[in-house]
Amino acid sequence: MTRGRFITVEGGEGAGKSTQAARLAETLERRGIATLVTREPGGTRRAERLRELLLDPEETGWEPETEVLLYFAGRVENVAKTIEPALAAGRTVICDRFADSTLAYQGYGSLASLETIRSIGEAALRGFRPDLTLILDIDPKMGLARTRSRSAFQDRYERELFDYHRRVRQGFLAIAEDDPDRCAVVDAAASVGAVAEAVLARVEARFEEFKAGKERR
């Protein structure tokens, strides 16, 4: 059986990651490509409990390195219990956030050592990495305005100061620049439909087999 593809969707607050991950999965399913959508933090029962802790707005004052270790703990669970089995079964896995978010948020945003984060990631994931990473780029002002318009509740990261989100955005763009063979940047300021078309174009350009077959009506 052919191993599935692993696609991650990254970006700052309000970039539309969850929406675009779901839309991409729907399009691929119509083309006969079995998919699985997961998220981070989360993806398994234990990792979802870590998600509640890490995003809780009342849980402030974390040491950045503590956050890094907790994120990778949940990530190891998600890879072992959800992502790897699906890939081995030939399914394409689309993950809403992955290791790049830890580097962008805890590294560039919270100013933890980038070298330390990369070392922890290498030890935890043992070289496991996405086949394609879609980075949805948006000005933090627009992204945060979107999050506030859809819900009065803000998680711990949405409550961070603007300079934090500015550094996170710079981090994602630096990651894309450092690894252009894996990463593709998409302008997330456009309409949902336009972003979905751009995302699909990046996916089709990277994976020739995803062009094959007609959508099921």
Side-chain angles (χ1 to χ4, degrees):
M1 182 178 294
T2 302
R3 182 177 173 83
R5 300 289 193 177
F6 182 36
I7 301 171
T8 56
V9 184
E10 298 279 10
E13 305 304 317
K17 298 172 300 301
S18 301
T19 298
Q20 294 303 328
R23 289 186 65 134
L24 176 60
E26 291 169 2
T27 298
L28 296 182
E29 286 282 354
R30 288 198 299 269
R31 295 183 178 187
I33 300 165
T35 66
L36 171 71
V37 177
T38 185
R39 69 177 182 177
E40 293 205 350
T44 70
R45 179 179 61 82
R46 292 188 181 96
E48 288 291 336
R49 292 177 67 182
L50 282 175
R51 179 187 182 89
E52 293 176 7
L53 177 65
L54 286 162
L55 300 187
D56 187 343
E58 302 302 319
E59 293 287 348
T60 59
W62 291 95
E63 290 297 322
E65 290 77 9
T66 303
E67 290 185 89
V68 170
L69 291 167
L70 288 173
Y71 275 110
F72 274 106
R75 187 161 295 131
V76 168
E77 283 289 300
N78 196 21
V79 169
K81 305 288 176 52
T82 302
I83 297 173
E84 268 289 5
L87 293 174
R91 300 177 75 179
T92 288
V93 176
I94 302 169
C95 192
D96 179 352
R97 295 200 184 282
F98 197 63
D100 292 316
S101 276
T102 304
L103 195 61
Y105 278 78
Q106 280 65 55
Y108 288 91
S110 298
L111 305 179
S113 165
L114 300 180
E115 181 179 354
T116 297
I117 295 172
R118 291 189 180 104
S119 296
I120 292 172
E122 193 63 32
L125 299 178
R126 301 176 185 179
F128 180 81
R129 54 188 264 134
D131 296 303
L132 171 64
T133 295
L134 299 159
I135 295 179
L136 305 187
D137 178 52
I138 192 169
D139 185 300
K141 290 182 180 179
M142 177 180 286
L144 291 170
R146 285 180 176 178
T147 64
R148 291 164 184 159
S149 68
R150 69 190 181 208
S151 173
F153 174 80
Q154 291 181 298
D155 66 32
R156 188 160 62 88
Y157 294 101
E158 291 168 347
R159 294 187 181 192
E160 287 282 358
L161 297 175
F162 177 76
D163 279 349
Y164 175 88
H165 293 285
R166 179 182 53 78
R167 292 195 300 272
V168 168
R169 183 192 190 190
Q170 292 172 342
F172 278 123
L173 293 177
I175 290 167
E177 185 175 357
D178 289 342
D179 197 351
D181 290 339
R182 174 175 65 88
C183 300
V185 177
V186 176
D187 181 6
S191 68
V192 171
V195 175
E197 290 179 3
V199 163
L200 182 59
R202 302 298 196 284
V203 171
E204 289 178 331
R206 189 64 56 95
F207 307 121
E208 184 68 26
E209 68 269 26
F210 285 1
K211 297 179 182 179
K214 297 180 179 179
E215 294 189 15
R216 293 198 290 263
R217 302 295 180 183

Short mmCIF file of all heavy atoms in Angstrom, two decimals, residues 103-104 106-108 111-119:
data_model
loop_
_atom_site.label_atom_id
_atom_site.label_comp_id
_atom_site.label_asym_id
_atom_site.label_seq_id
_atom_site.Cartn_x
_atom_site.Cartn_y
_atom_site.Cartn_z
N LEU A 103 7.97 26.40 17.08
CA LEU A 103 9.13 27.25 16.78
C LEU A 103 8.70 28.71 16.65
O LEU A 103 9.38 29.61 17.17
CB LEU A 103 9.79 26.78 15.48
CG LEU A 103 11.20 27.30 15.20
CD1 LEU A 103 12.18 26.86 16.27
CD2 LEU A 103 11.68 26.83 13.83
N ALA A 104 7.57 28.97 15.99
CA ALA A 104 7.11 30.34 15.79
C ALA A 104 6.60 30.98 17.08
O ALA A 104 6.96 32.12 17.39
CB ALA A 104 6.02 30.37 14.72
N GLN A 106 6.68 29.69 20.56
CA GLN A 106 7.55 29.66 21.74
C GLN A 106 8.95 30.19 21.44
O GLN A 106 9.60 30.75 22.31
CB GLN A 106 7.63 28.23 22.29
CG GLN A 106 6.45 27.82 23.14
CD GLN A 106 5.15 27.76 22.38
OE1 GLN A 106 5.06 27.07 21.36
NE2 GLN A 106 4.14 28.48 22.84
N GLY A 107 9.40 30.01 20.19
CA GLY A 107 10.73 30.50 19.81
C GLY A 107 10.71 31.97 19.47
O GLY A 107 11.20 32.81 20.23
N TYR A 108 10.13 32.30 18.34
CA TYR A 108 10.11 33.70 17.91
C TYR A 108 9.21 34.56 18.79
O TYR A 108 9.54 35.70 19.12
CB TYR A 108 9.66 33.79 16.45
CG TYR A 108 10.70 33.30 15.48
CD1 TYR A 108 10.73 31.97 15.07
CD2 TYR A 108 11.64 34.17 14.94
CE1 TYR A 108 11.69 31.52 14.16
CE2 TYR A 108 12.60 33.73 14.03
CZ TYR A 108 12.62 32.40 13.65
OH TYR A 108 13.56 31.96 12.76
N LEU A 111 10.47 33.96 22.68
CA LEU A 111 11.93 34.14 22.73
C LEU A 111 12.67 33.00 23.41
O LEU A 111 13.75 33.19 23.97
CB LEU A 111 12.28 35.48 23.41
CG LEU A 111 11.61 36.72 22.81
CD1 LEU A 111 12.01 37.97 23.57
CD2 LEU A 111 11.99 36.86 21.33
N ALA A 112 12.11 31.79 23.36
CA ALA A 112 12.87 30.61 23.77
C ALA A 112 13.95 30.34 22.72
O ALA A 112 13.84 30.75 21.57
CB ALA A 112 11.95 29.41 23.91
N SER A 113 14.97 29.61 23.12
CA SER A 113 16.07 29.31 22.22
C SER A 113 15.59 28.50 21.02
O SER A 113 15.04 27.41 21.18
CB SER A 113 17.16 28.54 22.97
OG SER A 113 18.06 27.94 22.07
N LEU A 114 15.83 29.02 19.81
CA LEU A 114 15.45 28.29 18.59
C LEU A 114 16.24 26.99 18.50
O LEU A 114 15.71 25.95 18.08
CB LEU A 114 15.69 29.16 17.36
CG LEU A 114 14.92 30.48 17.29
CD1 LEU A 114 15.27 31.22 16.01
CD2 LEU A 114 13.42 30.25 17.39
N GLU A 115 17.50 27.03 18.88
CA GLU A 115 18.34 25.84 18.82
C GLU A 115 17.81 24.76 19.76
O GLU A 115 17.76 23.58 19.41
CB GLU A 115 19.78 26.20 19.19
CG GLU A 115 20.74 25.02 19.13
CD GLU A 115 22.17 25.40 19.48
OE1 GLU A 115 22.43 26.61 19.65
OE2 GLU A 115 23.00 24.50 19.58
N THR A 116 17.38 25.18 20.96
CA THR A 116 16.84 24.22 21.92
C THR A 116 15.56 23.59 21.39
O THR A 116 15.37 22.37 21.48
CB THR A 116 16.56 24.91 23.26
OG1 THR A 116 17.79 25.39 23.81
CG2 THR A 116 15.91 23.94 24.25
N ILE A 117 14.67 24.40 20.81
CA ILE A 117 13.42 23.87 20.27
C ILE A 117 13.70 22.88 19.15
O ILE A 117 13.10 21.80 19.08
CB ILE A 117 12.53 25.01 19.77
CG1 ILE A 117 12.10 25.91 20.93
CG2 ILE A 117 11.28 24.45 19.05
CD1 ILE A 117 11.37 27.16 20.51
N ARG A 118 14.62 23.22 18.27
CA ARG A 118 14.95 22.31 17.17
C ARG A 118 15.55 21.00 17.70
O ARG A 118 15.25 19.91 17.19
CB ARG A 118 15.93 22.99 16.21
CG ARG A 118 15.30 24.14 15.41
CD ARG A 118 16.24 24.63 14.33
NE ARG A 118 15.66 25.73 13.56
CZ ARG A 118 15.99 27.01 13.69
NH1 ARG A 118 16.93 27.36 14.57
NH2 ARG A 118 15.41 27.94 12.96
N SER A 119 16.38 21.09 18.73
CA SER A 119 16.99 19.90 19.31
C SER A 119 15.94 18.99 19.95
O SER A 119 15.95 17.77 19.78
CB SER A 119 18.05 20.29 20.35
OG SER A 119 19.11 20.98 19.74
#
